[in-house]
Amino acid sequence: RDFSVTEWHEAEAIADQASFLIERIQQDNKLLRNLFETEREISSTETSERALKLVAAQVFDVARAYGRNVNVVDINVKEGNLVRVIAVYPPDRLPMIRSIVGDDFDLSEGKNDRIGIVGRVLKTGKIANVGDVNDDRDYLPVHADTKSQLVVPILQGSETIGAISAEASEVEAFD
């Protein structure tokens, strides 16, 4: 029996979807392998600074793998009211970030009457998914190409001790 034109087109569509699914599974497998390798490397790392740099790089890679146009990931720690950026990926962004916010950023003072989205997350302990940073009163411009930002608190028990921030050059990148 020969296939009709309609049946042939349906078979091609199914084959295309199967091909896409296989590519996605292969990509997910690669991500899982990378996560596993990163976890092993973190476990054997001597310093927390190195471990956090690995985490920042992995968050960057995973976001990119899922089609997010992430331009920077940074990890911040809080002691009292002082915040310090301790890990950044890509690492060449760290000097520029520190040139704007300083080595230590004081949450009680802020900068230009803003504490930043990271500062808000550090104060509230709540995740911030900001679809358009230009519409957020707390946004502290650090990267000219940032359009959206996702900030997740790092908790120790019920205390917020840090935050992981991912910034993207597209609006609504983390929805």
Side-chain angles (χ1 to χ4, degrees), residues 116-174:
I117 298 167
V118 169
R120 182 172 71 225
V121 168
L122 290 169
K123 281 187 157 192
T124 66
K126 297 185 184 325
I127 294 172
N129 183 354
V130 179
D132 187 344
V133 295
N134 294 312
D135 294 338
D136 192 287
R137 62 180 165 66
D138 288 326
Y139 179 63
L140 186 60
V142 176
H143 300 39
D145 52 349
T146 294
K147 302 284 187 255
S148 59
Q149 186 173 6
L150 175 65
V151 184
V152 178
I154 300 170
L155 303 172
Q156 185 172 50
S158 61
E159 180 185 1
T160 303
I161 61 167
I164 300 174
S165 171
E167 299 180 28
S169 59
E170 60 191 358
V171 175
E172 307 291 344
F174 303 105

Side-chain angles (χ1 to χ4, degrees), residues 2-175:
D2 290 334
F3 289 109
S4 70
V5 172
T6 302
E7 290 171 327
W8 187 254
H9 288 300
E10 288 173 352
E12 284 180 327
I14 291 169
D16 286 345
Q17 290 176 358
S19 174
F20 174 77
L21 182 59
I22 289 168
E23 286 177 24
R24 188 58 183 213
I25 290 169
Q26 289 172 336
Q27 184 179 27
D28 288 349
N29 283 338
K30 181 181 176 196
L31 281 174
L32 288 173
R33 282 193 305 275
N34 288 346
L35 285 169
F36 177 73
E37 290 300 319
T38 300
E39 187 275 331
R40 284 181 44 192
E41 194 171 347
I42 288 170
S43 295
S44 65
T45 299
E46 304 269 332
T47 66
S48 59
E49 182 179 333
R50 171 77 179 131
L52 291 173
K53 287 178 181 178
L54 290 168
V55 170
Q58 195 63 50
V59 169
F60 183 90
D61 290 344
V62 168
R64 286 277 177 126
Y66 281 97
R68 306 303 186 240
N69 202 9
V70 174
N71 50 34
V72 67
V73 171
D74 54 81
I75 299 179
N76 306 265
V77 294
K78 179 179 88 162
E79 290 185 32
N81 268 343
L82 295 181
V83 179
R84 180 183 264 288
V85 179
I86 58 168
V88 176
Y89 195 87
D92 63 341
R93 299 274 184 130
L94 182 58
M96 191 264 306
I97 292 171
R98 286 200 174 145
S99 73
I100 293 170
V101 298
D103 285 338
D104 291 314
F105 182 79
D106 191 332
L107 287 175
S108 61
E109 295 177 14
K111 186 162 184 83
N112 301 327
D113 296 322
R114 297 175 182 211
I115 61 169
I117 298 167
V118 169
R120 182 172 71 225
V121 168
L122 290 169
K123 281 187 157 192
T124 66
K126 297 185 184 325
I127 294 172
N129 183 354
V130 179
D132 187 344
V133 295
N134 294 312
D135 294 338
D136 192 287
R137 62 180 165 66
D138 288 326
Y139 179 63
L140 186 60
V142 176
H143 300 39
D145 52 349
T146 294
K147 302 284 187 255
S148 59
Q149 186 173 6
L150 175 65
V151 184
V152 178
I154 300 170
L155 303 172
Q156 185 172 50
S158 61
E159 180 185 1
T160 303
I161 61 167
I164 300 174
S165 171
E167 299 180 28
S169 59
E170 60 191 358
V171 175
E172 307 291 344
F174 303 105
D175 285 348

